[in-house]
Amino acid sequence: MAGFVQIIEYRTSKPDEVTALSEDYRAKREAGGDGPMPIRSVWCSDRKDPTRYVAIVEFASYEEAMENSKRPDTSEFAAALMALCDGPTTFHDLDVLEATDFR
């Protein structure tokens, strides 16, 4: 199975601003319709730690993810996200081995 997932783990005291930033980025990318973009993203909060968040971003391939990362708008989004974070972020780059939909 082809596919690539990037997990972004971060802490923030400004979750509403992160949500607004993410929604704005997604809307602009969808409107532009150019270049590779994620297949889906899931933004999560940690129930046990209200300052810890995780974004799971799925791409068709590693190559598309890297092409997406090189885009100026993606670099701007990443810089703005980092500015809203309380400390460093951690990135996990994962090849998809198997995916199962239960519904």
Side-chain angles (χ1 to χ4, degrees):
M1 165 175 280
F4 179 77
V5 173
Q6 186 171 67
I7 298 175
I8 306 163
E9 186 176 354
Y10 62 97
R11 293 183 181 277
T12 187
S13 54
K14 302 172 184 173
D16 293 338
E17 292 177 51
V18 170
T19 298
L21 176 69
S22 174
E23 289 173 354
D24 182 60
Y25 173 72
R26 180 189 49 79
K28 287 178 180 175
R29 285 301 303 277
E30 287 178 347
D34 60 329
M37 65 180 76
I39 294 171
R40 102 179 27 94
S41 64
V42 179
W43 295 74
C44 308
S45 63
D46 187 329
R47 285 181 171 259
K48 294 180 183 177
D49 182 347
T51 67
R52 183 175 172 263
Y53 296 85
V54 175
I56 305 163
V57 185
E58 182 179 352
F59 293 88
S61 68
Y62 170 79
E63 292 76 21
E64 283 195 16
M66 294 303 101
E67 197 174 324
N68 178 71
S69 292
K70 294 176 185 174
R71 293 176 54 94
D73 57 345
T74 300
S75 296
E76 290 171 15
F77 167 76
L81 175 62
M82 300 309 148
L84 295 172
C85 291
D86 302 331
T89 57
T90 303
F91 291 84
H92 305 276
D93 294 338
L94 308 168
D95 291 319
V96 176
L97 301 176
E98 180 180 342
T100 303
D101 293 326
F102 287 93
R103 291 187 190 186

